[in-house]
């Protein structure tokens, strides 16, 4: 280990977008960055330990010390590069809902890695491949962290060289609508409901729809309804989130490309244009049962950003 340390008083500002993974057929592969953000400011301190101030989502719920996920990620990154961890003061303004299938844990991990990158500026160079590798190691899979890091539509996979990604630009007509329920959903529970094996014809079905979905998102939004059909994961998880499935089914009955967002229970509607999104929002508003918060979001094309502020003398 080296005695190198980040300058005391150095501050970084980080912004990380929400994400929606799977997008229907692209299970554990496709992800989309959305214009809903967590903003953080992290400052190094001579005082040991970590002090975290949370505003917005998670306030009064998430840890405010060294057990905080962002802080743990910063510590992990510093240790990986053999740099002494300073004291940390962190202020977070969180807007990404927790436990709703919008990549909140992935966003926290990406925020910590980006904060570490900024705090280590001039000491260690962490390139995009290293960012994805670190985030995937902590998250367990790259489908949420890739779009959070790089923005846009991402295809993520793992090779013998580690996690990889390809970023694609989305057709300007694509207009996402996110429907957020009051209830949360455990990602671990959602994953446990998947079968160990699936029928060959279902796998082939999803391969065709995933290929079509790429074409629909980057070139032909009018194909989004057909392209978002899925037989690999959503039906197996239906019993754990009946209200989500009910909303998805109603939206799809109106010809709208609705899917479960990530592990759920939020619903993502990939509309072909802003007018269709207004139609989708009206269907959600008229839907019976528990209320849904409908968010009209844009596709985020920048991904996570970090700005470094020099240490104050």
């Amino acid at each position: 280990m080296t005695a190198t340390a980040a300058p005391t008083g150095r501050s970084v500002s980080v912004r990380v977008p929400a994400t929606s993974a799977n997008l229907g057929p692209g299970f554990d592969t496709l992800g989309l960055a959305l214009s809903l953000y967590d903003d953080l400011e992290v400052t190094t301190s001579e005082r040991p330990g970590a002090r975290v101030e949370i505003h917005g989502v998670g306030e009064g719920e998430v840890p405010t010390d060294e057990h905080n996920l962002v802080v743990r990620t910063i510590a992990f990154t510093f240790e990986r590069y053999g740099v002494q961890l300073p004291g940390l003061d962190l202020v977070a303004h969180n807007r990404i809902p927790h436990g709703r299938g919008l990549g909140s844990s992935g966003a926290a991990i990406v925020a910590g890695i980006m904060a570490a990158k900024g705090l280590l500026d001039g000491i260690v160079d962490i390139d995009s491949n290293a960012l994805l590798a670190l985030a995937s190691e902590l998250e367990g899979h790259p489908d949420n962290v890739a779009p959070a890091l790089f923005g846009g539509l991402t295809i993520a996979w793992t090779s013998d060289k580690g996690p990889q990604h390809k970023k694609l630009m989305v057709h300007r007509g694509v207009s996402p609508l996110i429907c957020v329920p009051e209830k949360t959903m455990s990602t671990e529970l959602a994953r446990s409901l998947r079968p160990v094996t699936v029928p060959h014809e279902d796998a082939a079905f999803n391969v065709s729809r995933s290929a079509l979905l790429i074409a629909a998102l980057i070139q032909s939004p009018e194909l989004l309804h057909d392209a978002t059909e899925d037989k690999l994961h959503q039906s197996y998880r239906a019993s754990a989130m009946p209200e989500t499935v009910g909303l998805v089914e109603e939206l799809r009955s109106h010809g709208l490309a609705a899917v479960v967002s990530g592990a759920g229970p939020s619903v993502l509607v990939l509309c072909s244009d802003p007018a269709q999104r207004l139609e989708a929002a009206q269907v959600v508003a008229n839907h019976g049962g528990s209320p849904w918060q409908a968010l009209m979001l844009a596709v985020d094309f920048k991904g996570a950003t970090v700005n470094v502020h020099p240490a104050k003398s």
Side-chain angles (χ1 to χ4, degrees), residues 290-310:
S290 300
W292 295 79
Q293 181 185 15
L295 304 175
M296 296 187 186
L297 303 176
V299 176
D300 171 89
F301 293 110
K302 292 180 67 176
T305 59
V306 58
N307 293 311
V308 181
H309 312 293

Side-chain angles (χ1 to χ4, degrees), residues 164-222:
Q164 308 290 320
H165 85 286
K166 175 63 179 178
K167 176 181 175 179
L168 299 171
M169 301 303 285
V170 177
H171 189 285
R172 64 181 182 179
V174 174
S175 304
L177 179 72
I178 284 286
C179 310
V180 184
E182 294 178 351
K183 295 181 180 178
T184 61
M185 177 72 181
S186 162
T187 300
E188 290 75 17
L189 172 61
R191 286 187 167 272
S192 72
L193 297 173
R194 295 175 299 149
V196 176
T197 62
V198 296
H200 182 276
E201 57 268 28
D202 288 354
F205 180 95
N206 268 58
V207 168
S208 70
R209 294 309 191 274
S210 295
L212 181 61
L213 181 55
I214 298 297
L217 284 169
I218 68 176
Q219 183 177 338
S220 306
E222 70 277 6

Side-chain angles (χ1 to χ4, degrees), residues 26 55-56 61 115 155-156 176 185-186 207 219 224 241 244 248 299 301:
H55 301 277
E61 299 173 359
I155 307 170
M185 177 72 181
S186 162
V207 168
Q219 183 177 338
L224 281 167
M241 44 182 145
T244 294
V248 168
V299 176
F301 293 110

Side-chain angles (χ1 to χ4, degrees), residues 207-263:
V207 168
S208 70
R209 294 309 191 274
S210 295
L212 181 61
L213 181 55
I214 298 297
L217 284 169
I218 68 176
Q219 183 177 338
S220 306
E222 70 277 6
L223 298 175
L224 281 167
H225 185 265
D226 285 350
T228 48
E229 292 179 307
D230 159 70
K231 291 189 176 182
L232 283 189
H233 66 103
Q234 293 181 122
S235 61
Y236 297 109
R237 296 168 167 177
S239 61
M241 44 182 145
E243 294 175 348
T244 294
V245 173
L247 181 60
V248 168
E249 290 176 347
E250 180 167 352
L251 286 160
R252 294 193 69 84
S253 74
H254 285 79
L256 299 162
V259 298
V260 178
S261 179

Side-chain angles (χ1 to χ4, degrees), residues 252-274:
R252 294 193 69 84
S253 74
H254 285 79
L256 299 162
V259 298
V260 178
S261 179
S266 292
V267 172
L268 168 68
V269 193
L270 291 168
C271 301
S272 58
D273 55 49

Side-chain angles (χ1 to χ4, degrees), residues 39 98 137 141 144 157 199 214 228 237 248 282:
D39 289 292
H98 292 176
E137 182 177 347
H141 42 87
N144 270 124
W157 71 99
I214 298 297
T228 48
R237 296 168 167 177
V248 168
Q282 190 59 53

Side-chain angles (χ1 to χ4, degrees), residues 23-135:
L23 312 184
F27 183 70
D28 275 3
T29 302
L30 300 181
L32 191 66
L34 301 167
S35 62
L36 182 66
Y37 303 95
D38 284 351
D39 289 292
L40 303 94
E41 183 165 312
V42 184
T43 305
T44 57
S45 171
E46 293 182 350
R47 295 172 59 197
R51 294 150 295 279
V52 181
E53 184 179 316
I54 304 290
H55 301 277
V57 177
E59 185 174 353
E61 299 173 359
V62 301
T64 55
D65 55 15
E66 65 274 7
H67 299 291
N68 181 275
L69 181 54
V70 177
V71 173
R72 287 192 282 122
T73 302
I74 295 172
F76 176 88
T77 308
F78 269 66
E79 182 179 3
R80 178 59 55 89
Y81 287 97
V83 180
Q84 181 181 343
L85 183 69
L88 298 172
D89 293 304
L90 187 153
V91 179
H93 296 270
N94 296 337
R95 301 174 189 87
I96 303 173
H98 292 176
R100 304 302 204 288
L102 292 171
S104 60
S105 65
I109 288 168
V110 168
I113 292 171
M114 294 298 288
K117 173 181 172 66
L119 294 173
L120 293 170
D121 184 51
I123 301 170
V124 173
D125 179 30
I126 308 177
D127 63 18
S128 59
N129 290 331
L131 291 172
L132 181 59
L134 287 165

